[in-house]
Amino acid sequence: MAEVAQHNLAQDAWVVVGGKVYDVTDFYARHPGGAAVIVANAGQDVTELFLPIHPPHTLETNLPPGSFKGLVDPAAAADSLRAYRAEQQRVENGRNALPPVETMLGLDELQAAAESFLSARASNYYSGYSLDGHSATDNRAAFRKCRLLPRVMRDVSAVSPQTTIFGVPSALPIYVSPASNALLGHPDGEFNITRGSARTGIVQGVSAAASFPLAEILAAKEDMDDEIGQPMGMVYQVYFENDRSKTEARVREAVAGGVQALLLTVDSNVGDHRQTTEKLKGTREEAEPGIKMGPFTETDQFHDARQSWRDLEWLKSLAPGLRIYLKGVCHIDDVRLAKEHGLAGCILSNHGGRQLDRARTGFDSLRAIQAEDPQLVKDVEIYIDGGCRRGSEVLQAVALGARGVGLGRPFLFAQAAYGEKGVIRAVRILEKEIVSAMRLLGVTKLDELHPGMVECLQETWR
């Protein structure tokens, strides 16, 4: 380890994982999780940090030839592995001690169950936010600024909450938003979400930064297709990467694997600043003198800061005939531009409050667009995500014109606590709340909801 410790610089970075030494100098700048975490831990044993969030063979697959440098002292490696396994055992014991999943009656209860045993690092990653977390807090608060106006004396003995999400039949007006690193919470990670989504009839959004290789998730989809007798709903998140050949390869693989739509995430063309998360990672940043007067051109090496509307034709060429949606839109003019460019629709979102802090919430953006141009909401498929935790909140959004609502964190926590059963339980919670709220509102189908059934505080933002 003494030799490894000498390679602790950005221009000379070695790490140890499971007793094996790797040179990551030529890779860290392209790390999807950001370069800072690698640089901060260069020259160290990162077994406990690395293994819980990466599937087997990640290093061998992604590092260039010659990166493996050898083995560390067996005793040091054994100590590191013992610590890792002890932590994994602690988490497993905590999960096994949870009350039956059937006793979970709300999404927040599922989150609390997961947080009762997850490490501080895992919990922070799932619930983390950029800077001061204003946008993350606003996501939850936005729904509380509106209330529902029910109608009475209507026959609601039979209620149908089914709809179409991203062109796919869905049992409910919800879908699983793409969210990375499900493996951080549970050994089966994204597979829990694939199975739970298929077995309840909702659409799964697969993250471009999923824990498991896309090929394995698509194989799990194929198994579910066979089980349920029809293609399950699955859409794939796309990031424009600096290395466009990698974007192309991912998109072609997703299309060949049978995804029904692409969600191009457009609010992450540069990295974020999740201060609390970076603190836990041990990130160190510069404190060097210097006067910077020219343009700032350095960005993270994974996301492509050059992305523009011109790139859409290229993306369409990779997926002929497939629906494409922009994810991470706030402004009405961007929705109009998406329509002009022939896209299927937009997901109004501030990335869960994890990108630009103080960015408007998806629900507030929906309200604003509905007020300014109600026809646009009819002409373009509009979805929202961020902050929704109740079935009644889903119906608020649908009444204002959204086709559906995405939930990310709730499903990450649900699968962390109870695996696939947690995903299914989360769907059943929302299903009960949606059906109950529809009946109490006096509607039997989603298309009976309309803006007149929601009244909101009329803030004035100038």
Side-chain angles (χ1 to χ4, degrees):
M1 283 300 297
E3 181 183 356
V4 174
Q6 297 175 26
H7 301 270
N8 63 347
L9 304 172
Q11 66 270 26
D12 181 19
W14 289 16
V15 295
V16 177
V17 176
K20 298 179 179 180
V21 182
Y22 296 92
D23 182 349
V24 294
T25 306
D26 295 329
F27 171 74
Y28 79 87
R30 297 181 284 109
H31 181 226
V37 65
I38 295 181
V39 175
N41 291 280
Q44 301 179 47
D45 189 320
V46 296
T47 302
E48 290 183 70
L49 181 65
F50 181 89
L51 290 182
I53 59 174
H54 296 89
H57 311 301
T58 295
L59 290 170
E60 293 84 350
T61 301
N62 290 281
L63 292 181
S67 297
F68 174 64
K69 294 299 180 183
L71 303 174
V72 297
D73 173 59
D79 288 344
S80 178
L81 282 174
R82 271 194 295 272
Y84 164 71
R85 288 168 180 161
E87 172 61 12
Q88 294 303 103
Q89 188 62 54
R90 184 197 66 78
V91 169
E92 183 179 350
N93 291 343
R95 185 180 291 114
N96 291 337
L98 292 176
V101 67
E102 294 83 2
T103 66
M104 299 290 106
L105 303 182
L107 297 185
D108 284 339
E109 289 186 29
L110 286 167
Q111 177 172 335
E115 289 181 328
S116 71
F117 63 83
L118 287 176
S119 68
R121 190 187 301 274
S123 291
N124 177 272
Y125 181 82
Y126 282 171
S127 60
Y129 46 77
S130 61
L131 297 180
D132 299 309
H134 292 295
S135 287
T137 301
D138 289 348
N139 282 341
R140 295 291 302 266
F143 293 96
R144 303 187 190 112
K145 294 182 289 188
C146 296
R147 57 191 183 189
L148 296 164
L149 282 73
R151 298 298 305 273
V152 298
M153 298 296 288
R154 294 181 172 184
D155 181 358
V156 290
S157 54
V159 173
S160 301
Q162 298 81 22
T163 189
T164 299
I165 301 288
F166 305 128
V168 182
S170 176
L172 295 166
I174 61 170
Y175 64 93
V176 181
S177 293
S180 63
N181 285 311
L183 180 65
L184 185 60
H186 192 283
D188 288 341
E190 284 81 7
F191 300 133
N192 289 322
I193 299 174
T194 300
R195 296 165 189 147
S197 298
R199 289 169 175 156
T200 54
I202 67 169
V203 175
Q204 177 190 13
V206 176
S207 171
S211 307
F212 292 96
L214 178 58
E216 295 182 19
I217 297 173
L218 292 172
K221 175 192 184 310
E222 187 174 353
D223 291 341
M224 288 295 99
D225 293 348
D226 291 340
E227 177 182 310
I228 66 178
Q230 61 186 16
M232 70 166 285
M234 181 177 283
V235 297
Y236 183 64
Q237 179 190 41
V238 177
Y239 284 115
F240 282 146
E241 300 178 43
N242 270 308
D243 185 345
R244 289 296 177 90
S245 66
K246 293 186 176 181
T247 302
E248 178 175 348
R250 295 177 197 272
V251 170
R252 290 193 186 280
E253 183 180 11
V255 173
V259 303
Q260 291 101 333
L262 301 177
L263 311 182
L264 175 60
T265 299
V266 291
D267 58 359
S268 301
N269 56 323
V270 295
D272 52 68
H273 187 177
R274 301 174 196 172
Q275 185 173 328
T276 58
T277 302
E278 295 302 324
K279 203 72 174 177
L280 280 173
K281 289 179 180 179
T283 298
R284 294 173 294 183
E285 298 190 349
E286 72 165 282
E288 297 298 324
I291 300 172
K292 302 179 181 181
M293 299 299 292
F296 284 70
T297 59
E298 291 185 4
T299 62
D300 72 276
Q301 296 300 302
F302 178 74
H303 302 94
D304 190 350
R306 302 165 300 174
Q307 71 178 27
S308 72
W309 295 97
R310 294 188 300 272
D311 294 313
L312 293 176
E313 289 306 312
W314 174 73
L315 182 59
K316 289 179 186 178
S317 73
L318 303 179
L322 206 65
R323 293 168 180 261
I324 299 175
Y325 299 81
L326 294 190
K327 179 183 183 299
V329 176
C330 286
H331 201 289
I332 188 171
D333 287 345
D334 287 329
V335 178
R336 289 170 174 151
L337 282 168
K339 178 185 175 184
E340 290 176 15
H341 282 81
L343 301 186
C346 293
I347 301 170
L348 308 178
S349 168
N350 59 24
H351 211 92
R354 295 162 79 86
Q355 285 295 112
L356 175 63
D357 197 19
R358 299 183 185 273
R360 188 167 65 181
T361 75
F363 184 67
D364 284 336
S365 292
L366 175 66
R367 286 180 55 193
I369 294 170
Q370 173 63 239
E372 182 176 340
D373 190 350
Q375 187 59 44
L376 183 63
V377 180
K378 297 177 182 178
D379 294 342
V380 179
E381 287 182 46
I382 298 292
Y383 301 85
I384 71 166
D385 76 14
C388 180
R389 296 294 185 275
R390 290 292 186 186
S392 56
E393 295 171 346
V394 173
L395 297 187
Q396 283 180 300
V398 174
L400 292 175
R403 304 292 180 93
V405 176
L407 298 95
R409 287 184 177 97
F411 284 107
L412 285 177
F413 282 116
Q415 67 90 31
Y418 294 99
E420 177 194 334
K421 277 281 193 181
V423 176
I424 293 173
R425 181 64 197 135
V427 175
R428 294 299 174 228
I429 288 170
L430 288 166
E431 177 184 71
K432 180 177 181 179
E433 292 179 359
I434 288 169
V435 169
S436 175
M438 288 177 68
R439 284 182 161 139
L440 293 171
L441 276 167
V443 300
T444 59
K445 295 181 180 179
L446 295 175
D447 61 10
E448 295 172 11
L449 294 165
H450 58 83
M453 304 186 84
V454 182
E455 64 177 10
C456 304
L457 292 172
Q458 300 300 308
E459 314 98 327
T460 300
W461 297 88
R462 290 287 184 267

